[in-house]
């Protein structure tokens, strides 16, 4: 079985990941009122929550840059390509599973833009999970000569 993942799909995923990193502060502030919730925590816990928020934002942005700038290297079928695409696939598959398992319990504000936005963001997360999982499979097939 031979298949190829088009560069435009990887680059589209990269652009989407950068978009999620850039929109992340808006979503936290406008949709979830996150900053007011964080203010209720003890000072150290506030900083931990903010730090994890920055980690998420930084990872999304970094994964996007990697997809855009190193598209060919992500398809090299090398051990490093397997490791990197496996890491990013696990990150996004974990995000999608978390969305499915936990987030339906919570209310998103009823504004139409937020409802549409939540569907759009979930579609992006599924796209990222699919692209990197496909890359992982592609790299593994080539590397292990399956």
């Amino acid at each position: 079985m031979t298949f190829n993942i088009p560069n435009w799909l990887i680059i589209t995923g990269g652009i989407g990941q950068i978009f999620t990193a850039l929109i992340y502060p808006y979503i936290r502030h406008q949709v979830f009122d996150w900053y007011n919730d964080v203010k209720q925590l003890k000072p150290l816990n506030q900083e931990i929550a903010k730090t994890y928020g920055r980690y998420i934002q930084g990872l999304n942005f970094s994964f996007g840059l990697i997809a855009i700038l190193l598209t060919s290297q992500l398809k090299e079928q090398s051990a490093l390509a397997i490791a990197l695409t496996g890491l990013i696939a696990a990150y996004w598959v974990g995000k999608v599973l978390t969305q499915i398992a936990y987030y339906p319990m919570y209310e998103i504000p009823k504004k139409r833009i937020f409802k549409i936005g939540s569907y759009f963001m979930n579609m992006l997360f599924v796209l990222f999970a699919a692209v990197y999982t496909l890359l992982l499979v592609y790299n593994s097939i080539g590397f292990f000569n399956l």
Side-chain angles (χ1 to χ4, degrees), residues 4-64:
N4 191 22
I5 300 163
N7 287 350
W8 66 263
L9 182 60
I10 299 168
I11 292 168
T12 300
I15 292 167
Q17 289 172 104
I18 290 173
F19 171 77
T20 64
L22 296 177
I23 198 77
Y24 190 68
Y26 173 82
I27 291 170
R28 283 188 310 206
H29 182 67
Q30 295 295 326
V31 179
F32 297 118
D33 196 25
W34 188 78
Y35 295 103
N36 285 325
D37 290 343
V38 169
K39 287 179 187 175
Q40 297 175 26
L41 299 172
K42 294 176 188 173
L44 177 60
N45 290 335
Q46 287 180 27
E47 291 308 313
I48 291 169
K50 290 176 189 174
T51 299
Y52 283 131
R54 289 187 285 270
Y55 285 159
I56 291 167
Q57 194 173 4
L59 284 171
N60 293 358
F61 193 86
S62 298
F63 293 160

Side-chain angles (χ1 to χ4, degrees), residues 42-144:
K42 294 176 188 173
L44 177 60
N45 290 335
Q46 287 180 27
E47 291 308 313
I48 291 169
K50 290 176 189 174
T51 299
Y52 283 131
R54 289 187 285 270
Y55 285 159
I56 291 167
Q57 194 173 4
L59 284 171
N60 293 358
F61 193 86
S62 298
F63 293 160
L65 279 181
I66 289 167
I68 293 167
L69 299 176
L70 302 172
T71 308
S72 296
Q73 289 85 344
L74 287 174
K75 299 185 338 178
E76 279 184 344
Q77 298 183 322
S78 66
L80 184 58
I82 291 170
L84 188 54
T85 57
L87 169 70
I88 301 172
Y91 177 88
W92 286 113
V93 168
K95 172 65 174 162
V96 169
L97 292 176
T98 301
Q99 292 281 122
I100 293 167
Y102 297 108
Y103 290 9
M105 292 184 261
Y106 303 103
E107 288 287 321
I108 291 180
K110 301 294 184 201
K111 289 185 182 178
R112 184 181 180 132
I113 187 75
F114 296 154
K115 195 70 165 170
I116 293 169
S118 73
Y119 290 124
F120 176 72
M121 293 302 287
N122 285 330
M123 287 188 323
L124 279 178
F125 300 152
V126 169
L127 170 71
F128 305 152
V131 167
Y132 285 102
T133 299
L134 282 172
L135 279 167
L136 175 60
V137 170
Y138 173 80
N139 286 322
S140 297
I141 288 171
F143 184 77
F144 295 108

